[in-house]
Amino acid sequence: MVREGYQPPTAGAGPRGSTHTGHEVRTQMTYICGDCGSRVSLAKDAAVACNQCMGRVLYKERTKRMVQFEAR
Amino acid sequence: MAPSKKASWTNAPDAEELEKRNTVGIHKETVTHNTSVDFPGHVPGEDEAFSLDRFRDGFSVDFHQNDPFHASFSLMGIDASLSNAFRRILISEIPTLAVENVFIEINTSVVQDEVLAHRLGLIPFKGGKEGLHNFLKWHKKPEPGEDAYKNSYDWNTVSLELNVKCTLNEDADPREDDPRKAYHNAHVYARDIVFTPTGAQEQYFAGDDAIAPVHPDILIAKMRPGQQIGLTMHMHKGIGADHAKFSPVATASYRLMPIIKITRPILGADAEKFQKCFPDGVIALDKVSAKEAAQKGSGYESHVGETKAVVADPMRDTVSRECLRHPEFEGKVKLGRRRDHFIFSIESSGQWDSDELFMESVKHMKLKCKKLEQQVMDMVR
Ligand SMILES: [Zn+2]
C-alpha cells in the first residue's frame, strides 16, 4: 500500500525525505488560519499569527500528494 | 404353520405418519423434532436413500413475489442442508462489482479519508449484465510494494471519478438556512459519481448499460463553501466472503412453512380472541354450518350459526406462539412447521435481479458438486 506514513529518519540520510538539512529549500510554508480561514504564508522567522486577523492558531495544509485507500 | 402377523412397522408409512415425521413441533416453551429423519437406516425396513428420481417427484417451486429487488418463493420437498447451502452461496459466493481502491487527490470535507473510502465501497452499482457477468474478470491484487495500477486492465477494473466543490450560492436569499439552497454541492450524492469507461468498456457499458449507482440519492458527505472532494475509484469483482460490500443480496433468508392445526372447535368470543393472537389474515372467522352441527362428536353440536375460527393463510404467521399462552385454547390448537417447505426471501442489492440470483446460486452449487465428484474419483483411483 502506498499510504503516506511516518518514515523514521535514517542516520546519514541523503537529500531525500529530510527537511532539516537544507535550510535554503522551502523557507516559506503556507498554513490555514483557524479563526478566519485565510491562507497564511509564514517567512522563516516571522511571528506565528495570521496577517489578516492576528489569529494565533494556524493549521497545516493537507498534503497535495495523492493518498490511496482501500474501500473496506 | 400359519404365517405370523407382521409387526406394524413393516408396513409402508401412511400419510399421517409421513406428515408427523415432516413436522417440527412448536410448543409453549420448546421446539421438538427439529432434525430430518428421511435418511437410510432411521426407520427399519425403509430405504430412504437419496435418489434423483424421488427428489424430482417430491420437489416443487412456487413463486409468491418476483420484483427486481425482492423475490419470495417456496421450495418444497428439499432438505435443509441443500436450501441452506443455497442461502449461504447467495450471501457470500456470488461475485459482484464494488469500489475497492480509492485514490484521494483532495478531501477537505469533514469526512475523514478512511471513512469516505469505506462509504464509497458500500455503494451498490448497476451496469450492463453482459459486461458485468461475462466481460469483467477477476482482478489480481498487486503484491505489497508493487505499482497500485499493476494488473489493472479494462477487463478487470472499472474506473470512477468524484469531483465536487462546495461554493456559495450567490442567487440564494442571504437568510436562507437550507444549506442545499444556500450553497452549491452542500450535499454529495451517489449520482455525482462519474463513470469513465476505458477500452472495451465503451461497448459493454454504453447508454443505459453504463456503470451507475443503483440508488442515486445515497448521501456520501456534506460540505460547506471552500470544501472540496476530488478522487478516483477503482472497482473490482469480489465475493461476499471477502467483504460484505461484494454481497449481491441485502438479505437472503428462509423460514419454514408454519402449520396451525385447530384440533377442537374454537367458537364465539374465543374465536375472535384467537384471531387476534395471529397476524392479520392468518385466521378467518366462519359460521358453523348445519351440516357440521349435525355431525356427532364434532364439537359443533347445537352451535349452528355461531362464529368459529378457521385457518386461512398459515404462511403469513410469524409463529409468535401467542395462542399457546391462553388457557382457553389449551388442547385446541397445535402449532408446527413443515420441515421440507422453505419460504425463501431474496432481496437483491441491485446489481443482479433477485430471481436471477437464485439460479446463479444453483449454478455455483452444481460447480462445487462437480469439483467434489472429481476429487472423490481421484481418491478412489
Ligand atoms: Zn485569520
Side-chain angles (χ1 to χ4, degrees):
Chain A
M1 206 188 297
V2 209
R3 240 183 232 200
E4 196 186 31
Y6 173 71
Q7 260 146 23
T10 45
R16 211 154 46 93
S18 99
T19 50
H20 298 290
T21 47
H23 280 285
E24 303 76 22
V25 261
R26 301 200 72 199
T27 40
Q28 261 209 349
M29 283 287 289
T30 315
Y31 298 89
I32 291 162
C33 173
D35 284 0
C36 71
S38 65
R39 291 165 64 92
V40 183
S41 297
L42 283 189
K44 197 183 147 204
D45 292 318
V48 181
C50 169
N51 39 32
Q52 306 276 316
C53 71
M54 294 307 285
R56 291 185 159 274
V57 178
L58 299 182
Y59 291 106
K60 190 171 183 268
E61 266 194 317
R62 187 201 157 93
T63 175
K64 285 180 184 70
R65 274 186 279 178
M66 182 275 283
V67 200
Q68 183 189 351
F69 290 93
E70 275 188 326
R72 283 167 186 254
Chain B
M1 204 171 148
S4 58
K5 199 167 172 262
K6 274 187 171 180
S8 65
W9 55 261
T10 52
N11 301 327
D14 56 5
E16 194 190 352
E17 167 67 12
L18 283 176
E19 195 190 311
K20 207 179 101 194
R21 283 187 203 170
N22 209 7
T23 304
V24 177
I26 294 177
H27 311 284
K28 211 170 176 178
E29 277 148 1
T30 48
V31 175
T32 58
H33 304 93
N34 42 15
T35 50
S36 50
V37 292
D38 52 346
F39 50 84
H42 187 81
V43 182
E46 281 180 35
D47 177 18
E48 292 289 6
F50 185 87
S51 98
L52 204 56
D53 286 329
R54 194 169 352 179
F55 175 76
R56 212 174 269 141
D57 289 344
F59 182 70
S60 60
V61 182
D62 181 19
F63 259 92
H64 310 307
Q65 193 187 348
N66 191 8
D67 299 327
F69 292 146
H70 186 205
S72 175
F73 51 86
S74 287
L75 299 185
M76 288 158 281
I78 190 170
D79 192 72
S81 53
L82 269 174
S83 42
N84 192 46
F86 292 137
R87 184 190 63 85
R88 293 184 56 157
I89 290 170
L90 280 165
I91 291 170
S92 67
E93 281 175 58
I94 296 178
T96 65
L97 188 71
V99 172
E100 176 69 348
N101 282 307
V102 183
F103 305 93
I104 302 182
E105 289 292 346
I106 183 115
N107 169 29
T108 49
S109 76
V110 291
V111 184
Q112 295 91 331
D113 290 8
E114 291 88 340
V115 178
L116 183 67
H118 178 238
R119 289 178 72 79
L120 291 166
L122 294 173
I123 299 170
F125 283 82
K126 61 179 181 181
K129 293 272 160 65
E130 171 64 20
L132 284 174
H133 301 166
N134 298 328
F135 167 66
L136 284 178
K137 310 275 189 313
W138 299 104
H139 172 261
K140 190 179 167 291
K141 198 181 164 188
E143 296 296 320
E146 278 185 331
D147 180 23
Y149 300 101
K150 204 192 167 200
N151 308 332
S152 290
Y153 304 99
D154 61 342
W155 48 264
N156 66 14
T157 305
V158 171
S159 187
L160 303 171
E161 279 179 22
L162 177 62
N163 291 303
V164 273
K165 194 170 183 174
C166 184
T167 51
L168 201 70
N169 183 5
E170 306 286 353
D171 302 329
D173 186 332
R175 287 166 302 169
E176 177 63 62
D177 56 4
D178 182 355
R180 284 170 297 175
K181 290 175 189 152
Y183 318 124
H184 296 295
N185 295 322
H187 291 186
V188 184
Y189 291 103
R191 59 169 166 267
D192 298 323
I193 296 172
V194 182
F195 166 50
T196 49
T198 48
Q201 288 173 9
E202 293 188 23
Q203 301 145 43
Y204 287 102
F205 303 117
D208 283 348
D209 288 342
I211 303 285
V214 179
H215 309 284
D217 293 334
I218 297 173
L219 184 65
I220 299 170
K222 291 186 182 181
M223 297 198 293
R224 286 296 177 269
Q227 296 181 344
Q228 185 186 357
I229 291 175
L231 49 86
T232 51
M233 295 171 257
H234 278 183
M235 304 178 84
H236 297 308
K237 260 191 178 180
I239 58 169
D242 178 34
H243 193 285
K245 69 183 173 187
F246 292 119
S247 185
V249 291
T251 171
S253 65
Y254 58 70
R255 60 196 179 100
L256 294 177
M257 178 68 155
I259 303 169
I260 305 161
K261 258 192 173 167
I262 298 172
T263 50
R264 273 165 45 210
I266 298 170
L267 301 163
D270 275 3
E272 277 165 44
K273 186 176 175 183
F274 189 72
Q275 190 182 33
K276 289 199 183 98
C277 290
F278 293 89
D280 282 353
V282 175
I283 302 294
L285 297 178
D286 208 352
K287 291 272 182 280
V288 178
S289 67
K291 198 177 153 197
E292 282 170 326
Q295 217 162 29
K296 278 268 180 301
S298 65
Y300 291 117
E301 303 101 320
S302 72
H303 288 291
V304 192
E306 271 187 57
T307 12
K308 63 163 182 173
V310 289
V311 180
D313 187 5
M315 194 185 282
R316 301 175 70 153
D317 188 23
T318 53
V319 198
S320 66
R321 303 189 227 181
E322 173 68 12
C323 64
L324 302 179
R325 296 177 64 236
H326 302 279
E328 54 266 56
F329 307 132
E330 218 160 277
K332 291 188 175 177
V333 61
K334 262 189 178 166
L335 297 184
R337 303 197 100 134
R338 187 139 289 135
R339 207 190 342 263
D340 69 344
H341 185 150
F342 295 86
I343 306 165
F344 260 84
S345 169
I346 299 175
E347 279 179 47
S348 167
S349 63
Q351 201 165 103
W352 297 72
D353 288 336
S354 50
D355 56 344
E356 192 181 38
L357 275 168
F358 186 75
M359 296 316 290
E360 189 68 16
S361 79
V362 176
K363 220 189 274 175
H364 276 249
M365 185 72 193
K366 266 187 175 171
L367 212 67
K368 279 172 187 284
C369 293
K370 286 222 174 86
K371 272 184 199 155
L372 180 69
E373 187 184 32
Q374 190 55 51
Q375 280 171 10
V376 170
M377 292 211 302
D378 290 351
M379 209 163 67
V380 173
R381 220 171 274 144

